[in-house]
Amino acid sequence: MHITLKATGNNAGMISHLLAKNPYNTYDRTEKGARVRMVYTVFTEEEAEIVIQASPDSIDLVKNSPDSYDITQYINDREFVTSSLFCTYIRGTLGTALNGKPKEDYIAWVTHPFALELSFGPVASDLPDAVVEGLFAPLGYQVTIERGEADYSFQLKNRSTVRYVTLSGHQTVQYALRQLLLLIPVLDNYKHYYISEEEFDKLRRYGEGWLSAHPLRELIIRRTLHFTNLIEQFEQSDSAATRTKKHAIQEQKHNHEQDQQQEQSLEEGTQQPTVRLNELRYQAIMDVIRKLPRRQKIVDFGSGEGKLSARLARMKGIEEIWAVEPSAYAQVRAVERFAKLERHADAIRPTPMMGSLFYYDEQLRGKDVMILCEVIEHVDEHRLNRVMNTIVTEYQPGMLIVTTPNREYNEVYRMDQQELRHGDHRFEWSRSEFRERCEQWIEEAPYSLALEGIGEEVEGFGQPTQMAVFTRRKEPKNS
C-alpha cells in the first residue's frame, strides 16, 4: 500500500519543508503496529517525488480477533490495499503538512498550488470507474485509472474492483493530502474502527474549503459515516449544510448496506427498533409460507447468521429447517442464535449445514420449501443458470422463493447508475430482467411463477426488493 506524491516546476523542492522531512534521509518508523517509510526517489528544485509506504504486520492485524477460530481471517486484502488502515498509519507522518504548520520561514508555501501528480493503490472499491473519477475530477484533477495486467479467458479484468489511481492537477500540498485521506476510505468503504461522532471533526477539517460544494457530497458523507442517525446528526450540526440535503438523507435509510449495519447495532442495543427492509423481506417470505398447506420441511439456502431460519423456527406446522451456509463464521453466529430458541417452547431448532449452491446434496431433495433470500446477486451471472437448473430439476422443492434487489430503485437512493448496493454483488437486475430470467429457469420445468415487490413503492421505480415465488405443479401421470 502506497502513495506517491510528485511535484514539478519552479520551487517544487519546497514541498520537503511542507512535509517537514529531509530529502536526504530515509524516514522509517513504526506507527500503530505498521512500518511506515517515506523516501524521496527524485529531488531537485524543479522536481520532487516522494513515496510513502506502509507495511502492517499480517499477524497483528488479526490478533485478539473474535474470529480466531476461522482461518479465513488470514485471507484478506487489508495487508495490501490502500484503505482506511493505510490512512491511519500515515496520518502521523504527514501531520505537519495536514495541519499546514511548517517552520515559519515556509508558511507562505502552504497556500501555494503546485503542479502535482498523486498516485496510490492498489485500492479495492465497489464504485464504478465513472464514480471514482467523479470524486476527484471536480477538485481539479485529471484522473487516470488502471488495472493490473492479467490474462483471463473471460472479461474478469474489466470487472475487477482493484485499481490504481493517478491524479494530476494544480493543488496545495495540504489540500491534496486532506482530500486523499478523506476520499481513500470512501473508495474502500470499509472502516476498521468504530464509527462515531468523532468522524464529524475529520469531515469538517479535511473537507474544509471543498466538500460543501462537491457534487458527490452526499455519497462522501454516507460512505464516511455509514449510519443514518450519524448522517442526520452531522447534517443538523453542520452550519454549512443546507436544508435541501435532509430529504436525501431520509431516503438513504432504506439503503441496503446501511440496513445491515443498523441491524447489527440494534442487536447491540444502540438503536431504537424500526421497520427495516430486511425485516420486511423476512415478513413477506413468512407470509407466503404461512399460507401453504405443506410447509413441514424448509431449506434456507445462504442462511447467513440464521436470522430468517430462527424466525421460521417458531411457525406452526414446520418440522425441520435446514440452514445451509458456506461461511464458517456465519455458521457459528447461527448456532449461537439457534441455541437461544430453546427458551421458546413452541420453537424447533434449525439444523445448521455447511453447503453451497454449486454442490448438489441429496439430503436437500424434495423439501416443501426452498428459500434464496438475497443470495443470487452474490453468484456470478454466468454460473446462475446452472444453479437454478439444479434446483428445479434435481432438488425439486414444492415451492422456491427467491428475493433480490430491484436495480431500478437504486435511483431513489441517489445511487449512480452503475453502482451496486453491496460490494459483493455481481449484478442487480431491473424488474423486467428478473421476470425474463425467472421465466427462462422454469421454461421446461413444472413450475408456475408469481412476482411481487417488497418495501416502499415509488412510482416509476417499483419497490426496493423483488420476490419470485415458484410453485411446483403436479406432473401428469404417463398414460
Side-chain angles (χ1 to χ4, degrees):
M1 51 177 77
H2 76 277
I3 287 177
T4 300
L5 172 64
K6 180 179 180 180
T8 55
N10 293 335
N11 299 305
M14 295 302 294
I15 67 172
S16 65
H17 299 290
L18 299 177
L19 295 170
K21 300 293 183 291
N22 190 320
Y24 302 108
N25 296 334
T26 299
Y27 178 92
D28 195 336
R29 300 284 191 277
T30 299
E31 299 280 353
K32 301 182 184 299
R35 185 180 182 186
V36 178
R37 285 168 284 187
M38 178 187 291
V39 60
Y40 287 77
T41 54
V42 177
F43 185 75
T44 67
E45 284 305 308
E46 288 75 34
E47 182 177 356
E49 183 177 75
I50 305 97
V51 178
I52 307 167
Q53 182 191 36
S55 303
D57 184 331
S58 59
I59 302 299
D60 192 59
L61 283 176
V62 297
K63 194 177 292 182
N64 300 320
S65 168
D67 309 333
S68 57
Y69 51 78
D70 190 348
I71 193 172
T72 58
Q73 65 171 329
Y74 292 100
I75 308 171
N76 65 73
D77 63 4
R78 296 299 95 182
E79 184 181 354
F80 310 104
V81 296
T82 303
S83 64
S84 64
L85 261 177
F86 175 70
C87 294
T88 299
Y89 295 148
I90 69 172
R91 188 172 291 117
T93 302
L94 300 173
T96 301
L98 287 169
N99 295 325
K101 295 182 178 179
K103 291 183 178 179
E104 190 172 350
D105 292 345
Y106 308 105
I107 289 289
W109 292 96
V110 171
T111 56
H112 177 77
F114 293 88
L116 297 179
E117 181 178 286
L118 305 116
S119 59
F120 57 92
V123 60
S125 180
D126 59 346
L127 295 174
D129 289 355
V131 178
V132 175
E133 184 174 356
L135 286 170
F136 294 101
L139 303 175
Y141 296 111
Q142 181 178 342
V143 184
T144 303
I145 300 171
E146 297 180 341
R147 288 171 171 78
E149 291 297 325
D151 184 17
Y152 296 115
S153 59
F154 52 95
Q155 296 298 311
L156 177 63
K157 176 183 172 182
N158 293 342
R159 296 187 288 112
S160 172
T161 61
V162 179
R163 281 155 280 186
Y164 295 84
V165 180
T166 301
L167 311 175
S168 304
H170 284 77
Q171 186 58 277
T172 69
V173 172
Q174 182 187 38
Y175 266 36
L177 293 176
R178 285 184 171 186
Q179 289 161 354
L180 285 186
L181 264 60
L182 190 57
L183 293 180
I184 285 174
V186 169
L187 293 176
D188 187 62
N189 202 31
Y190 172 84
K191 293 291 180 68
H192 64 284
Y193 53 84
Y194 179 72
I195 303 172
S196 68
E197 293 180 22
E198 293 179 4
E199 294 291 283
F200 294 1
D201 181 56
K202 187 189 301 182
L203 274 169
R204 293 193 182 100
R205 285 190 297 115
Y206 290 174
E208 183 182 2
W210 62 272
L211 180 57
S212 62
H214 198 290
L216 295 182
R217 176 183 178 276
E218 292 172 15
L219 174 69
I220 295 168
I221 292 174
R222 170 159 60 86
R223 289 170 74 98
T224 299
L225 298 178
H226 289 267
F227 296 103
T228 300
N229 67 313
L230 287 179
I231 297 171
E232 290 179 338
Q233 289 177 39
F234 176 76
E235 292 288 22
Q236 290 167 4
S237 63
D238 186 5
S239 59
T242 62
R243 295 289 182 182
T244 57
K245 302 292 183 181
K246 191 171 181 180
H247 178 64
I249 298 303
Q250 293 291 338
E251 289 179 336
Q252 290 165 6
K253 287 183 179 180
H254 302 291
N255 182 276
H256 179 74
E257 182 180 1
Q258 291 175 357
D259 173 69
Q260 291 178 324
Q261 293 166 328
Q262 285 179 342
E263 183 167 351
Q264 180 180 350
S265 297
L266 280 164
E267 292 179 351
E268 297 169 354
T270 59
Q271 299 265 354
Q272 293 298 316
T274 58
V275 180
R276 301 175 304 280
L277 180 57
N278 214 35
E279 186 64 38
L280 293 175
R281 290 191 199 104
Y282 294 157
Q283 193 59 54
I285 291 170
M286 293 173 66
D287 287 345
V288 171
I289 295 174
R290 193 175 284 111
K291 298 173 184 176
L292 292 176
R294 288 189 57 81
R295 55 176 182 272
Q296 286 87 345
K297 300 178 180 181
I298 309 286
V299 177
D300 184 5
F301 239 128
S303 57
E305 297 178 6
K307 295 174 184 177
L308 175 57
S309 292
R311 286 165 170 79
L312 290 168
R314 301 187 64 186
M315 183 183 292
K316 290 181 180 180
I318 295 179
E319 298 174 358
E320 62 180 54
I321 300 171
W322 296 79
V324 186
E325 170 60 39
S327 166
Y329 171 79
Q331 280 275 322
V332 171
R333 294 291 299 272
V335 169
E336 294 170 351
R337 177 172 278 106
F338 298 158
K340 296 176 183 178
L341 290 170
E342 293 181 354
R343 69 185 71 164
H344 302 287
D346 61 340
I348 65 170
R349 188 162 180 172
T351 302
M353 176 179 177
M354 188 72 71
S356 167
L357 285 167
F358 302 114
Y359 301 100
Y360 176 71
D361 192 323
E362 177 70 25
Q363 298 177 85
L364 306 179
R365 178 181 171 86
K367 303 303 181 184
D368 297 316
V369 181
M370 183 172 285
I371 305 165
L372 276 68
C373 179
E374 303 300 287
V375 171
I376 63 171
E377 63 271 12
H378 296 272
V379 178
D380 288 326
E381 195 169 352
H382 68 277
R383 305 177 71 183
L384 191 55
N385 283 348
R386 184 174 180 180
V387 166
M388 299 305 295
N389 183 64
T390 299
I391 291 175
V392 299
T393 63
E394 300 293 335
Y395 286 127
Q396 299 181 4
M399 174 174 285
L400 170 64
I401 302 174
V402 179
T403 73
T404 192
N406 168 21
R407 190 188 69 213
E408 297 166 77
Y409 205 86
N410 291 353
E411 191 169 338
V412 178
Y413 295 141
R414 306 285 182 93
M415 294 170 62
D416 183 85
Q417 190 174 14
Q418 295 176 299
E419 188 179 355
L420 302 179
R421 296 188 199 176
H422 189 277
D424 190 51
H425 286 187
R426 312 305 168 87
F427 64 87
E428 288 173 4
W429 286 332
S430 66
R431 288 169 291 174
S432 61
E433 288 170 331
F434 186 47
R435 174 181 289 277
E436 182 180 352
R437 295 301 289 267
C438 288
E439 291 172 346
Q440 289 177 4
W441 293 333
I442 60 172
E443 204 166 29
E444 299 180 3
Y447 283 89
S448 60
L449 170 66
L451 293 166
E452 61 181 271
I454 300 172
E456 182 182 359
E457 185 170 8
V458 176
E459 186 176 356
F461 302 100
Q463 293 163 269
T465 295
Q466 43 193 341
M467 179 171 69
V469 179
F470 303 87
T471 304
R472 187 171 178 84
R473 301 189 300 268
K474 290 184 180 180
E475 298 183 76
K477 295 181 180 179
N478 295 327
S479 54

